[in-house]
Amino acid sequence: MWLVSVIGLSLLLWWWNEFWYVFPLKLRRLATGTGAELPPGHMGFPIIGEMLTFIWYFKILRRPDEFINYKRKKYGDAEGMYRTHLFGSPSIIAYLPPINKFVLHTDDAFTIKWPNVELIGRTSLGAVDGKYHARLRSFVSNAFNRPKALRCVALQVQPRMVAALDSWAQKGTIIAYVETRKVTFENIGKLFVSFEPGPLLEPMFKLFKGVIQGIRTQPLNIPGSASYHGRQVIDNIITLVIGGYESTTLAKMWAMYCLAKYPKVLEKLREENMSVSKNKEGDILTYDDISKLKYTSKVVEETIRMANVASLSFRMATKDVEYKGYKIPKNWNVILWLRYLHTNPENFEDPMCFNPDRWNEPPKPGTYLVFGGGSRLCAGNMLARIQLSLFLHYLSTGYKWKLVNPDAQMIYLSHHKPADGVEVEFSKI
Ligand code: HEM
């Protein structure tokens, strides 16, 4: 008897979310004879949905891409979408290039969704929409993501990189994740909250004036008040530091890992960068020097592809949407499964191989979304690229390093990295 009860209860729990979320939509479709059907999939258990399956593939098996492969085998392709319930919400997973592109470029139907928007700030660039978003974006891009600003950034970040690498060599053994974090924070901190002279001073000064005025006034959260303005400013500085900190740290750590595993790539990189450093006779590199480093820029792209810093990106449907015969219901999340684009052999040949030469050709359309896309394309993508190029220059021309645990296990949550944080023996050449 108890066995029957257990089986009955398990079945009830397994189908609960399907009854709750999917059944009413199916009934309405039957009754009206109109409307598209939901993509195939399963909504999992009440409250937790398919989180256990997600954890199984990401944390236990440590083969996150099998999560999608398993669904592809089970349900077929269905225009690159599955229904599910993850991270506390009914969701549509999007894993093929066309549906990712559609979602990223349809701003009137999808809005950005942060699991914890309070932490990045409701009025920050990453959280606001529409005209205000466009205005903030252009301000932020002009301040540090366009060539004029990058020329200055290139000069500003180098002294700290040079000093950090030198100190690593003195230590002898380092954990790349820990050390790249420190130097990235120093540079990001310097770029976004520095009062030292430089072209970034003026926008930062204006921002900080806003903060200071905001702090001194009554906390009235109404548009136009100094307090409201101060809050906008704080939110944006936090967004920039958060956006630029972990992502760039991980990219540098991955560069060290991949180059240690692929010595031939390191050799080519070193060769290209040695020729520059010889020409410069000890001077620091300029933005224009970096633009000439063609092989280095391929190493940068390949590192960022392999790193998959932003594995998933979240949107929410603001209205019912139909895409190629399937429905994405209003208020459901859309989980853009970006990492799968970069690790799918249909998009990149031998995807787990670190091969900068693949960048001799442009990637297939829509397959390379490491920086997202559409109106929310990463606001710091060029800043990240230039920092990584400079890091590669000093690293490859002055130092050698060896992985302490070349077979370290990979972890995928919260970010993809070797479990030891890339411990290396590090010394001058
Ligand atoms: C390798 C390094 C980086 C990677 C892989 C990366 C990735 C991304 C991705 C995928 C998005 C889009 C998120 C979405 O649409 O849901 C994004 C947005 C953003 N990133 Fe980055 N990022 C990197 C470095 C940086 C840096 C250095 C900054 C600057 C400080 C930055 C600032 C931002 C901001 C402000 C946004 C929000 C843009 C908007 O909503 O308009 N990121 N980033």
Side-chain angles (χ1 to χ4, degrees):
M1 182 61 195
W2 63 268
L3 188 66
V4 175
S5 314
V6 169
I7 293 173
L9 185 66
S10 309
L11 283 173
L12 180 70
L13 289 177
W14 181 241
W15 289 104
W16 183 272
N17 269 356
E18 286 285 315
F19 285 124
W20 186 259
Y21 291 106
V22 182
F23 223 63
L25 295 173
K26 280 198 168 154
L27 278 182
R28 204 174 314 148
R29 199 166 159 258
L30 269 177
T32 59
T34 57
E37 59 179 333
L38 282 169
H42 195 275
M43 305 297 287
F45 291 107
I47 303 171
I48 57 169
E50 285 203 295
M51 272 322 277
L52 292 179
T53 320
F54 177 87
I55 289 168
W56 171 253
Y57 282 105
F58 274 70
K59 222 175 162 84
I60 315 286
L61 277 190
R62 298 175 196 243
R63 286 161 58 193
D65 303 316
E66 289 308 306
F67 182 81
I68 298 293
N69 286 335
Y70 149 79
K71 286 186 181 291
R72 289 185 85 176
K73 269 188 212 122
K74 188 161 178 191
Y75 303 114
D77 264 340
E79 305 297 344
M81 293 187 282
Y82 301 117
R83 69 169 182 266
T84 184
H85 190 290
L86 279 176
F87 305 104
S89 300
S91 305
I92 300 292
I93 289 172
Y95 65 91
L96 288 182
I99 176 65
N100 274 282
K101 183 175 172 202
F102 172 74
V103 173
L104 286 170
H105 290 265
T106 313
D107 287 346
D108 65 341
F110 300 100
T111 185
I112 187 100
K113 174 85 195 269
W114 291 100
N116 209 340
V117 72
E118 289 304 336
L119 288 186
I120 64 153
R122 286 189 183 279
T123 60
S124 72
L125 174 62
V128 293
D129 278 313
K131 278 191 192 146
Y132 181 56
H133 172 250
R135 206 152 54 87
L136 257 183
R137 242 192 106 82
S138 94
F139 175 74
V140 167
S141 294
N142 284 332
F144 62 78
N145 208 41
R146 301 252 159 85
K148 197 170 156 211
L150 290 169
R151 283 201 163 82
C152 158
V153 167
L155 304 180
Q156 287 203 338
V157 296
Q158 287 177 66
R160 267 162 297 277
M161 272 183 197
V162 172
L165 287 166
D166 194 47
S167 76
W168 300 358
Q170 282 170 28
K171 287 183 189 166
T173 304
I174 58 143
I175 298 190
Y177 178 63
V178 173
E179 298 298 333
T180 54
R181 265 190 127 179
K182 281 189 208 150
V183 63
T184 305
F185 192 70
E186 279 172 18
N187 270 330
I188 291 282
K190 161 90 176 150
L191 290 176
F192 297 136
V193 283
S194 161
F195 284 99
E196 285 177 32
L200 292 178
L201 175 66
E202 208 181 308
M204 276 302 142
F205 179 63
K206 277 192 202 146
L207 288 172
F208 268 96
K209 243 172 51 183
V211 177
I212 291 157
Q213 281 167 359
I215 288 169
R216 283 161 185 261
T217 56
Q218 291 299 312
L220 294 174
N221 195 22
I222 38 174
S225 73
S227 165
Y228 184 87
H229 178 66
R231 196 166 300 203
Q232 286 174 9
V233 169
I234 295 250
D235 281 358
N236 279 297
I237 290 174
I238 288 172
T239 294
L240 294 177
V241 174
I242 293 175
Y245 176 39
E246 191 70 3
S247 54
T248 317
T249 298
L250 286 161
K252 288 178 191 155
M253 178 207 76
W254 273 105
M256 292 183 71
Y257 180 82
C258 293
L259 290 169
K261 288 251 167 186
Y262 291 81
K264 289 216 165 90
V265 175
L266 176 58
E267 213 174 285
K268 267 174 100 171
L269 179 77
R270 189 169 276 152
E271 211 171 281
E272 180 177 78
N273 280 274
M274 280 291 194
S275 63
V276 177
S277 67
K278 270 181 209 142
N279 293 340
K280 298 298 295 179
E281 289 174 2
D283 280 348
I284 55 176
L285 252 64
T286 64
Y287 175 75
D288 299 310
D289 293 329
I290 300 158
S291 317
K292 288 179 203 141
L293 297 172
K294 300 296 174 213
Y295 189 70
T296 307
S297 82
K298 291 180 209 165
V299 175
V300 166
E301 299 307 326
E302 184 66 347
T303 303
I304 300 175
R305 182 188 71 83
M306 296 283 283
N308 271 311
V309 169
S311 279
L312 313 176
S313 170
F314 294 83
R315 294 291 184 273
M316 192 183 76
T318 51
K319 56 184 180 190
D320 282 346
V321 181
E322 268 192 45
Y323 178 80
K324 297 190 179 173
Y326 290 106
K327 178 176 177 132
I328 304 176
K330 182 178 174 183
N331 292 334
W332 281 37
N333 281 356
V334 179
I335 306 176
L336 304 167
W337 219 272
L338 302 182
R339 64 160 292 123
Y340 192 74
L341 296 173
H342 313 132
T343 58
N344 182 354
E346 292 156 23
N347 302 337
F348 292 92
E349 199 187 322
D350 199 0
M352 295 309 165
C353 171
F354 181 66
N355 174 17
D357 286 327
R358 73 172 80 244
W359 296 93
N360 293 340
E361 304 287 328
K364 291 180 195 164
T367 58
Y368 185 57
L369 296 184
V370 285
F371 290 111
S375 63
R376 291 198 174 270
L377 178 77
C378 174
N381 66 86
M382 292 314 293
L383 177 63
R385 286 178 164 117
I386 201 163
Q387 286 191 79
L388 195 51
S389 303
L390 285 166
F391 178 70
L392 288 174
H393 171 78
Y394 289 107
L395 184 70
S396 65
T397 53
Y399 301 90
K400 55 185 172 53
W401 65 103
K402 204 173 120 198
L403 297 174
V404 173
N405 308 303
D407 300 318
Q409 262 197 329
M410 289 295 158
I411 51 175
Y412 294 92
L413 294 176
S414 60
H415 282 107
H416 175 198
K417 58 176 190 290
D420 69 343
V422 186
E423 190 174 5
V424 292
E425 286 164 14
F426 195 85
S427 58
K428 289 198 166 160
I429 292 177

